[in-house]
């Protein structure tokens, strides 16, 4: 969405895009990652040392209510914090590694198809959809296998399922 469109859609909702809001929205749009409020605060502070934490949290809430950003919990892999990303992105699923916290984004037709199927099945109009998948990334699967082998070696009598080897 171009700057003008954002201004317009906010105006309709009676929200002014102040310099601080613009700053945070830019950070979220450009990061390409899923940053939590604290990380966003740290980055925003570097650009504007006068910004305080309360303002950043309040601004995030406003951007969320203005439907400019999505708030995600990403399977709570990191605890209770929430993560922010722009609503301008195309629909995608979040694939979260519950061990290292790596987040991948899956884009693709199956997601649109699922959406259409749900709408047809329930006669439902979907406004917002969030797909999150939790598990282990390929790197962590390897690390976990090694950890379990080590644990088994340290306690040879313990019964452990046989690990699959590649
Ligand atoms: Zn991982
Ligand atoms: Zn995302």
């Amino acid at each position: 969405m171009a700057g003008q469109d954002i201004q317009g859609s906010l105006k309709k909702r009676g929200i002014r895009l102040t310099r601080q809001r613009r700053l945070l929205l830019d950070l979220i749009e450009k990061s390409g990652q899923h940053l939590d409020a604290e990380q966003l605060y740290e980055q925003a502070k570097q650009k504007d040392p006068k910004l305080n934490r309360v303002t950043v949290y309040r601004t995030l809430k406003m951007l969320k209510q203005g439907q400019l950003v999505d708030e995600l919990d990403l399977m709570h892999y990191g605890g209770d914090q929430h993560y922010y990303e722009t609503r301008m992105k195309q629909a995608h699923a979040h694939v979260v590694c519950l061990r290292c916290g790596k987040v991948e984004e899956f884009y693709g037709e199956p997601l649109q198809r699922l959406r259409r199927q749900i709408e047809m099945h329930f006669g439902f109009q979907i406004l917002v959809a969030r797909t999150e998948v939790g598990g282990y990334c390929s790197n962590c699967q390897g690390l976990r296998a090694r950890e379990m082998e080590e644990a088994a070696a340290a306690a040879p009598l313990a019964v452990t399922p046989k690990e699959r080897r590649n």
Side-chain angles (χ1 to χ4, degrees):
M1 208 190 279
Q4 286 298 325
D5 298 332
I6 292 172
Q7 300 269 21
S9 78
L10 283 175
K11 218 171 180 178
K12 266 187 270 165
R13 276 167 259 158
I15 299 166
R16 263 184 337 121
L17 198 54
T18 61
R19 196 178 47 79
Q20 289 165 344
R21 291 169 187 172
R22 177 84 252 173
L23 172 67
L24 272 171
L25 197 55
D26 277 349
L27 282 176
I28 294 169
E29 273 180 359
K30 282 172 192 151
S31 85
Q33 299 171 43
H34 306 88
L35 300 174
D36 66 27
E38 201 55 31
Q39 290 168 320
L40 284 165
Y41 167 61
E42 290 300 328
Q43 292 194 11
K45 212 170 52 174
Q46 282 171 20
K47 303 212 176 208
D48 182 353
K50 278 180 283 180
L51 265 181
N52 63 53
R53 193 177 263 110
V54 174
T55 308
V56 168
Y57 278 68
R58 200 186 291 142
T59 304
L60 285 172
K61 197 173 166 197
M62 197 286 308
L63 291 173
K64 191 180 81 172
Q65 284 165 351
Q67 291 170 26
L68 290 168
V69 302
D70 260 337
E71 189 180 62
L72 314 163
D73 62 46
L74 298 178
M75 312 294 294
H76 292 290
Y77 80 84
D80 284 338
Q81 61 262 59
H82 289 127
Y83 305 86
Y84 298 87
E85 76 177 351
T86 171
R87 288 282 293 262
M88 317 312 152
K89 278 174 149 185
Q90 208 200 319
H92 56 276
H94 290 112
V95 182
V96 185
C97 178
L98 300 175
R99 189 179 188 279
C100 69
K102 186 172 158 196
V103 181
E104 305 268 26
E105 294 186 328
F106 175 81
Y107 291 83
E109 171 56 23
L111 285 176
Q112 307 349 312
R113 203 159 50 221
L114 177 64
R115 216 180 145 116
R116 285 197 300 273
Q117 281 173 359
I118 290 170
E119 289 191 321
M120 267 159 56
H121 187 85
F122 295 103
F124 193 83
Q125 182 192 12
I126 296 176
L127 295 179
V128 59
R130 196 162 291 152
T131 312
E132 292 187 349
V133 176
Y136 298 118
C137 72
S138 54
N139 186 42
C140 285
Q141 287 171 49
L143 291 171
R144 267 177 59 82
R146 210 173 310 152
E147 280 165 8
M148 286 169 86
E149 271 171 36
E150 280 165 16
L157 293 177
V159 181
T160 51
K162 195 139 185 70
E163 294 296 323
R164 199 155 47 97
R165 283 163 213 275
N166 303 324

